[in-house]
Amino acid sequence: MIPLPPAGPQADALASRRQGLLATFPVAGAMPAAAQRPAPLHQRSILLDGQLQDWNGAMQEVLSPVQVRQADGTLRAVVLGSYPLTGLPEADQALNAACAAWDKGRGTWPTLPTADRIRCVETFTARLLQRRDAIVRLIVWEIGKSLADAGREFDRTIEYIHATVADLKAMENGNSRFEEVDGTIAQIRRSPLGIVLCMGPFNYPLNETFTTLIPALIMGNVVLFKPPRFGVLLYEPMLEAFRVSFPAGVLNLVYGPAHVVVPHLMASGHVSVLALIGTSKVANALKKAHPKANRLRAVLGLEAKNAAIVLADADLELTVRECLAGALTFNGQRCTALKMLLVHRSIVDDFLQRFCAALESLKIGMPWEPGVMLTPMPDPVRIDYFETVVADAIAQGAQVINPGGGSRCATLYWPAVVYPVRPGMRLYREEQFGPVVPVAAFDDVEEALEYVIGADFGQQVSVFGQDSRQIADLIDPLVNQVCRVNLNCQCQRGPDVFPFTGRRDSAEGTLSVHDGLRAFSIRTMVAAKQGEATRQLLDQIVRNNQSSFLNTHYIF
Ligand code: G3H
């Protein structure tokens, strides 16, 4: 058992860590060149019905999580710009534009041949690439993601689009034929569903949003897009690309308070697909707001509380490395982050000592600094929450075991390793989504299994160990609790061609390059009884290129 630090030294450690955090923020007027602060961006237009419409109403100010030190030692948030604070009339305008573009399934976009839709997406992608620098800088400054990770997010998104196009071509070419079964001849393809409401998360504001937006568009749906609460301005550099690449009304932006405009859109009954990366509470409320539940498809990426199960024979060097990255990459603000570490009691002291030592070497700083892993966070309410759940665990007998853990200065928070976390503590079950690392010890692996079985969430799990028999005995029950069992490595979403989903309150539907195309479309067929008249009719339609659905074209 690790000796718990007495109150005095821990209090000193907290104070000195706080000083260190304060010194991490740049000094006003002396911003380093590497910071590449974007020029103030006041977005005064809204993409609606194919036009960038001027907006002269109220604006929502955007503050960066990056703050600057003033001469008097206080911190001041950097103002990045502002965007339209629209309301219900503009949401209705967006909805009307989407309805017109869909036109009961007869609009230009939903009836366009797939090859033409692919060309539009490729045009958009080429323009998106031209704005890489501006978009990456805005990701860095709006959500505090490291420059390296923001660049990776952009590049991963481009790869995702290319992979989606390739998969769609393969799918369409595979469907470009007739099938004959029991006297019926048919062609089976996938058709769009209608109006898709897309809402992405702040932690991957570009990538995760595009993993629903792009398949939704390319399959012929029209989209209402509400940017995340943090990460709105980064879409400004692509508004013109959206405008010129897609027909009017195919993509419409919605701003304004989500709790006002989004239920309103759902209540209209016109939304056919809710694509939301967020919480189960919000998803459930929005689904209930729709008047015809049976008409709504939901594609949801929700909460997770992925556990690491560290067995007695685990390679501790590897395990600590993976658990540290798994729990704390981008401040732990990943849905796939390891949010509970369950360690066999025989090695828990050794594990914790190594984990806390390795944690000391993590770099905390501004997002443009090379090698930085812990950065300023955009949501102050979440930082208050970390303090609340850590205090709750301490009140019930746990300790913060790393020096200065849980120290806070404005938007920076030094990770808190909390041990032993037990049932009844909020950290045991709640998704912390941040730099708090709860650790619990187990004697029998059945206890670890019971933890996963009893969780509200069922996204992924990581198992660390070397004995094939014991690992196999865990795999079989775990694959019926979560959707990915990671062996001796942290949880993660990628590679993006692999299925990404979850059970219980973690997800609805599956997202991957391949599955995304299916999530936003439905199998549809044209069928006829075999016979000479049918043969002639189908032959005429195909030969004379009379239908965009019924054809045998090959997309190169
Ligand atoms: O926030 C959830 C993301 O989908 C996680 O993606 O595992 O690649 O960081 P990642």
Side-chain angles (χ1 to χ4, degrees):
M1 176 75 197
I2 287 185
L4 298 170
Q10 182 66 330
D12 292 348
L14 278 168
S16 105
R17 187 76 75 184
R18 191 183 178 284
Q19 278 309 310
L21 297 182
L22 179 62
T24 304
F25 289 103
V27 174
M31 191 66 77
Q36 295 186 34
R37 178 181 166 180
L41 176 55
H42 296 284
Q43 180 191 324
R44 290 205 167 274
S45 56
I46 311 172
L47 180 60
L48 274 178
D49 202 14
Q51 288 176 20
L52 286 171
Q53 299 190 7
D54 289 343
W55 172 253
N56 297 310
M59 299 289 282
Q60 172 67 53
E61 188 176 60
V62 178
L63 299 179
S64 174
V66 173
Q67 304 202 349
V68 284
R69 273 184 287 154
Q70 308 300 302
D72 62 1
T74 59
L75 289 165
R76 184 175 299 165
V78 173
V79 177
L80 292 178
S82 55
Y83 62 86
L85 185 56
T86 56
L88 295 184
E90 295 74 27
D92 282 336
Q93 254 184 288
L95 182 63
N96 292 340
C99 286
W102 174 247
D103 192 16
K104 301 180 176 71
R106 302 175 71 181
T108 307
W109 186 248
T111 55
L112 205 61
T114 303
D116 293 344
R117 288 205 296 262
I118 288 174
R119 264 191 289 282
C120 293
V121 169
E122 286 176 337
T123 302
F124 170 72
T125 311
R127 286 177 168 262
L128 184 65
L129 271 166
Q130 290 167 6
R131 304 308 310 270
R132 182 184 189 279
D133 186 48
I135 294 165
V136 168
R137 277 166 64 181
L138 283 163
I139 295 176
V140 168
W141 278 83
E142 273 192 281
I143 63 160
K145 183 168 277 194
S146 75
L147 182 59
D149 281 348
R152 271 192 282 272
E153 178 170 348
F154 184 94
D155 297 338
R156 177 181 179 177
T157 306
I158 298 294
E159 282 167 28
Y160 191 95
I161 300 174
H162 290 323
T164 296
V165 167
D167 202 283
L168 177 57
K169 283 183 185 174
M171 182 173 88
E172 279 290 288
N173 289 336
N175 291 337
S176 241
R177 65 196 172 88
F178 288 89
E179 289 180 47
E180 297 181 30
V181 180
D182 291 342
T184 297
I185 182 164
Q187 186 171 50
I188 309 165
R189 291 189 180 275
R190 298 199 73 96
S191 299
L193 293 159
I195 296 176
V196 178
L197 174 58
C198 274
M199 297 169 71
F202 85 82
N203 64 330
Y204 278 90
L206 179 71
N207 181 262
E208 286 223 280
T209 304
F210 271 48
T211 61
T212 61
L213 188 74
I214 293 298
L217 284 173
I218 210 164
M219 291 310 294
N221 303 282
V222 302
V223 172
L224 294 168
F225 169 41
K226 167 95 177 62
R229 191 155 62 97
F230 306 104
V232 180
L233 289 179
L234 68 95
Y235 281 97
E236 196 276 344
M238 43 187 131
L239 291 181
E240 178 63 8
F242 278 131
R243 189 187 70 78
V244 299
S245 307
F246 299 102
V250 169
L251 180 77
N252 305 280
L253 272 286
V254 179
Y255 304 95
H259 66 281
V260 176
V261 295
V262 181
H264 177 76
L265 291 169
M266 294 298 288
S268 73
H270 290 300
V271 173
S272 297
V273 188
L274 171 65
L276 168 77
I277 314 293
T279 67
S280 49
K281 191 174 158 207
V282 169
N284 288 337
L286 292 179
K287 285 169 86 170
K288 281 191 191 126
H290 197 289
K292 291 248 182 191
N294 59 296
R295 292 192 189 183
L296 182 70
R297 182 180 286 194
V299 181
L300 310 173
L302 307 172
E303 301 102 304
K305 181 84 174 173
N306 294 344
I309 300 175
V310 184
L311 300 168
D313 67 343
D315 172 343
L316 275 190
E317 194 185 324
L318 171 150
T319 304
V320 165
R321 193 173 61 240
E322 290 291 320
C323 285
L324 201 63
L328 292 171
T329 296
F330 187 35
N331 311 298
Q333 298 171 127
R334 295 163 59 227
C335 60
T336 48
L338 288 173
K339 293 173 184 141
M340 185 74 192
L341 308 185
L342 305 166
V343 185
H344 193 269
R345 198 174 303 280
S346 64
I347 54 162
V348 72
D349 289 354
D350 195 8
F351 174 86
L352 286 171
Q353 256 152 7
R354 290 177 188 233
F355 189 88
C356 292
L359 171 52
E360 286 302 310
S361 66
L362 293 189
K363 184 164 175 180
I364 191 162
M366 295 301 111
W368 53 84
E369 294 173 24
V372 73
M373 184 150 160
L374 304 161
T375 52
M377 290 174 281
D379 189 355
V381 175
R382 288 304 300 175
I383 307 178
D384 296 343
Y385 171 81
F386 306 147
E387 294 184 324
T388 305
V389 289
V390 170
D392 168 74
I394 291 171
Q396 296 190 60
Q399 303 252 356
V400 173
I401 60 162
N402 58 318
S407 183
R408 174 188 187 172
C409 180
T411 52
L412 283 174
Y413 183 94
W414 183 253
V417 182
V418 186
Y419 176 80
V421 169
R422 296 198 177 95
M425 297 176 183
R426 294 181 64 181
L427 270 175
Y428 192 74
R429 288 295 180 205
E430 290 180 23
E431 179 190 43
Q432 66 272 34
F433 208 79
V436 178
V437 187
V439 184
F442 67 86
D443 296 294
D444 185 333
V445 74
E446 197 58 34
E447 296 167 47
L449 204 47
E450 283 302 322
Y451 177 84
V452 178
I453 293 170
D456 283 333
F457 311 115
Q459 190 196 65
Q460 299 188 18
V461 68
S462 289
V463 178
F464 295 91
Q466 303 186 59
D467 178 53
S468 65
R469 183 69 264 160
Q470 196 179 16
I471 290 181
D473 285 348
L474 275 174
I475 289 174
D476 291 348
L478 284 172
V479 291
N480 290 344
Q481 297 300 324
V482 298
C483 290
R484 177 164 165 165
V485 178
N486 300 277
L487 302 181
N488 292 312
C489 59
Q490 61 162 310
C491 299
Q492 62 178 44
R493 175 178 179 141
D496 289 331
V497 291
F498 285 169
F500 179 56
T501 184
R503 297 167 186 269
R504 301 191 284 278
D505 295 344
S506 280
E508 192 171 329
T510 301
L511 283 174
S512 70
V513 166
H514 188 68
D515 294 297
L517 293 171
R518 285 151 185 82
F520 293 97
S521 61
I522 189 162
R523 296 241 288 169
T524 310
M525 61 194 275
V526 175
K529 294 274 180 235
Q530 275 175 329
E532 184 51 27
T534 294
R535 194 195 63 73
Q536 279 189 23
L537 179 67
L538 295 179
D539 194 50
Q540 288 278 336
I541 294 171
V542 170
R543 263 183 207 284
N544 299 327
N545 212 10
Q546 290 169 332
S547 162
S548 90
F549 181 97
L550 200 75
N551 70 73
T552 53
H553 295 159
Y554 189 89
I555 307 173
F556 291 96

